[in-house]
């Protein structure tokens, strides 16, 4: 869902935004990114009213079961209470009723049934969406969805740039460059975290506002694009990787670190998930590997993890070390469960003895207890 407003009656126009939308649509529907069917990529340009903007978002949210991406480019404004709202063509600074509040967008997003969602805000003050007063107001924390990623083009009190003479806004232009050209020295596929860190470095080097992000659990591992700048490692480099660069299972002290290490190994191989699925013996379904790498809890059984590690190229001894780490973490989880006090049980009143009933009435005076 790509939304943009470039024409304003009171505020300064943003002609570059009009160029952002078709360029992003081409990237997301193209083979270097998600290769979405055209019907799964909706562009809403110059919405006049809040419903013009939000109704298509709600429709997309209700139809999405996997990943929902919502992008907005235009003026980001603050109302009298300092809360973020998105500028529509007739919006006025300080008057949120003339635009679309961030809260209204968030309510639609957090009510959706998607497994993951990504919000990209290319507007001034977009960092406000990350939470003005810490963790209590974060979109990612409010959502009851494990995979949520919020990417803002500017800090909470900062301005996003639409440089004169440039085809795109500063942030979206850099994002398009990553989608089209890739990241030299990066892995074969680029997840959201890799894209964010690259954008932050490139924009800061140019003296432009540094983007901000907030994510929850494994959302940062969501693949956004194939890396067009990827070059396979030479044979010596691969040998060095196999000898030294694998994560150390002894460093995995929590289930989340263990899962992050599994995802890191896929990145080190430079292989896609479908390619790894075919390398497994016997082959795994790509969706099985995807679920493994996006888990937030330790795998209940070892078999799939072991086949995945073998597909990555680990030796039997290395796989054995990882299995020992998995077993150690499983044992720790079981011990913690045993230490937790049992939940209280309620005995039906008629089944309780007179002594139990009396014990529950010790707060009464003697004559009230029947003595």
């Amino acid at each position: 869902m790509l939304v943009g407003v470039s024409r304003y009656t009171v505020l300064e126009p943003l002609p570059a935004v009009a160029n952002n939308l078709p360029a992003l649509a081409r990237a997301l529907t193209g083979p270097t990114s998600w290769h979405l069917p055209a019907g799964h990529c909706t562009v809403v340009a110059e919405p006049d009213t809040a419903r013009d903007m939000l109704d298509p978002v709600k429709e997309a949210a209700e139809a999405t079961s996997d990943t929902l991406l919502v992008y907005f480019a235009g003026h980001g404004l603050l109302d009298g209470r300092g809360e973020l709202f998105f500028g529509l063509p007739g919006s006025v600074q300080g008057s949120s009723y003339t635009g679309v509040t961030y809260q209204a967008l968030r309510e639609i997003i957090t009510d959706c049934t998607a497994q993951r969602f990504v919000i990209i805000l290319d507007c001034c003050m977009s960092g406000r969406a990350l939470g003005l007063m810490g963790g209590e107001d974060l979109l990612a924390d409010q959502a009851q969805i494990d995979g949520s990623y919020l990417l803002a083009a500017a800090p909470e009190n900062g301005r996003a740039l639409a440089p004169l003479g440039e085809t795109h806004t500063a942030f979206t232009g850099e994002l398009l460059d990553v989608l089209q050209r890739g990241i030299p020295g990066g892995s074969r596929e680029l997840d959201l975290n890799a894209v964010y860190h690259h954008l932050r470095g490139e924009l800061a080097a140019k003296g432009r506002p540094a983007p901000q992000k907030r994510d929850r659990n494994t959302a940062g591992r969501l693949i956004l694009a194939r890396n067009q700048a990827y070059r396979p490692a030479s044979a010596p480099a691969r040998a060095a990787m196999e000898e030294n660069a694998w994560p150390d299972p002894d460093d995995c002290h929590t289930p989340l670190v263990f899962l992050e290490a599994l995802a890191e190994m896929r990145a080190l191989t430079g292989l896609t998930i479908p390619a790894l699925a075919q390398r497994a013996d016997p082959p795994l379904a790509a969706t099985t590997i995807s679920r493994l790498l996006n888990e937030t809890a330790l795998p209940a059984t070892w078999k799939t993890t072991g086949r995945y590690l073998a597909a990555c190229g680990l030796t039997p001894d290395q796989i054995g070390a990882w299995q020992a780490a998995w077993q150690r973490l499983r044992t720790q989880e079981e011990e913690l469960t045993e230490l937790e006090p049992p939940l209280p049980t309620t005995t039906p009143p008629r089944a309780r003895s007179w002594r139990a009933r009396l014990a529950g009435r010790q707060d009464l005076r003697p004559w009230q207890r029947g003595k």
Side-chain angles (χ1 to χ4, degrees), residues 142-207:
Q142 292 290 325
Q144 299 302 311
I145 297 175
D146 284 337
S148 51
Y149 203 93
L150 178 56
L151 183 57
E156 65 178 48
N157 293 313
R159 293 178 61 83
L161 292 183
L164 291 175
E166 295 191 15
T167 305
H168 304 289
T169 58
F171 170 83
T172 298
E174 207 68 52
L175 174 61
L176 287 167
D177 188 72
V178 170
L179 297 179
Q180 295 164 357
R181 302 174 185 271
I183 300 175
S187 61
R188 187 188 297 269
E189 293 175 328
L190 300 175
D191 62 23
L192 286 168
N193 279 336
V195 171
Y196 163 73
H197 289 297
H198 180 78
L199 292 177
R200 189 172 176 86
E202 291 296 308
L203 289 165
K206 296 175 181 178

Side-chain angles (χ1 to χ4, degrees), residues 110-169:
T110 55
D111 285 342
C112 78
T113 58
Q115 296 179 32
R116 293 170 294 274
F117 61 80
V118 181
I119 310 298
I120 302 176
L121 303 178
D122 188 358
C123 59
C124 298
M125 314 298 176
S126 53
R128 295 268 167 155
L130 301 177
L132 294 178
M133 300 301 290
E136 295 302 318
D137 191 41
L138 303 180
L139 173 64
D141 292 338
Q142 292 290 325
Q144 299 302 311
I145 297 175
D146 284 337
S148 51
Y149 203 93
L150 178 56
L151 183 57
E156 65 178 48
N157 293 313
R159 293 178 61 83
L161 292 183
L164 291 175
E166 295 191 15
T167 305
H168 304 289
T169 58

Side-chain angles (χ1 to χ4, degrees), residues 25-267:
R26 286 193 298 271
L28 292 172
T29 56
T32 63
S33 185
W34 285 352
H35 211 175
L36 295 172
H40 290 191
C41 183
T42 302
V43 176
V44 179
E46 320 300 338
D48 285 320
T49 67
R51 291 201 61 173
D52 289 340
M53 173 176 165
L54 295 179
D55 281 352
V57 175
K58 183 174 177 60
E59 182 179 344
E62 291 174 346
T64 301
S65 59
D66 190 281
T67 302
L68 174 68
L69 183 150
V70 178
Y71 164 93
F72 173 81
H75 278 297
L77 308 168
L78 301 180
D79 64 13
R81 296 173 297 178
E83 296 182 1
L84 175 68
F85 70 98
F86 306 118
L88 297 177
S91 289
V92 177
Q93 176 70 273
S95 300
S96 60
Y97 69 89
T98 64
V100 175
T101 63
Y102 170 69
Q103 177 65 26
L105 175 64
R106 184 171 68 176
E107 287 176 0
I108 292 174
I109 299 302
T110 55
D111 285 342
C112 78
T113 58
Q115 296 179 32
R116 293 170 294 274
F117 61 80
V118 181
I119 310 298
I120 302 176
L121 303 178
D122 188 358
C123 59
C124 298
M125 314 298 176
S126 53
R128 295 268 167 155
L130 301 177
L132 294 178
M133 300 301 290
E136 295 302 318
D137 191 41
L138 303 180
L139 173 64
D141 292 338
Q142 292 290 325
Q144 299 302 311
I145 297 175
D146 284 337
S148 51
Y149 203 93
L150 178 56
L151 183 57
E156 65 178 48
N157 293 313
R159 293 178 61 83
L161 292 183
L164 291 175
E166 295 191 15
T167 305
H168 304 289
T169 58
F171 170 83
T172 298
E174 207 68 52
L175 174 61
L176 287 167
D177 188 72
V178 170
L179 297 179
Q180 295 164 357
R181 302 174 185 271
I183 300 175
S187 61
R188 187 188 297 269
E189 293 175 328
L190 300 175
D191 62 23
L192 286 168
N193 279 336
V195 171
Y196 163 73
H197 289 297
H198 180 78
L199 292 177
R200 189 172 176 86
E202 291 296 308
L203 289 165
K206 296 175 181 178
R208 296 180 169 182
Q212 314 290 311
K213 64 105 172 173
R214 195 73 87 213
D215 59 331
R216 182 173 180 179
N217 293 336
T218 61
R221 301 180 200 161
L222 181 66
I223 301 299
L224 185 62
R226 296 178 182 175
N227 188 1
Q228 297 303 295
Y230 171 76
R231 299 294 180 269
S234 62
R238 285 196 298 272
M241 180 190 73
E242 292 171 1
E243 182 178 352
N244 300 315
W246 295 121
D248 188 343
D250 291 336
D251 292 336
C252 298
H253 301 298
T254 67
L256 184 58
V257 173
F258 183 92
L259 293 165
E260 289 176 345
L262 293 184
E264 183 181 350
M265 281 189 277
R266 188 211 62 79

Side-chain angles (χ1 to χ4, degrees), residues 364-371:
L364 301 181
R365 297 183 183 277
W367 63 85
Q368 292 174 316
R369 294 199 298 264
K371 287 188 177 180

Side-chain angles (χ1 to χ4, degrees), residues 254-297:
T254 67
L256 184 58
V257 173
F258 183 92
L259 293 165
E260 289 176 345
L262 293 184
E264 183 181 350
M265 281 189 277
R266 188 211 62 79
L268 287 170
T269 66
L271 296 172
T272 64
I273 287 177
L276 278 174
Q278 291 301 312
R279 283 169 58 94
D281 185 19
L284 291 165
T287 53
T288 300
I289 294 181
S290 180
R291 281 196 300 270
L292 173 66
L293 300 186
N294 285 282
E295 284 284 0
T296 57

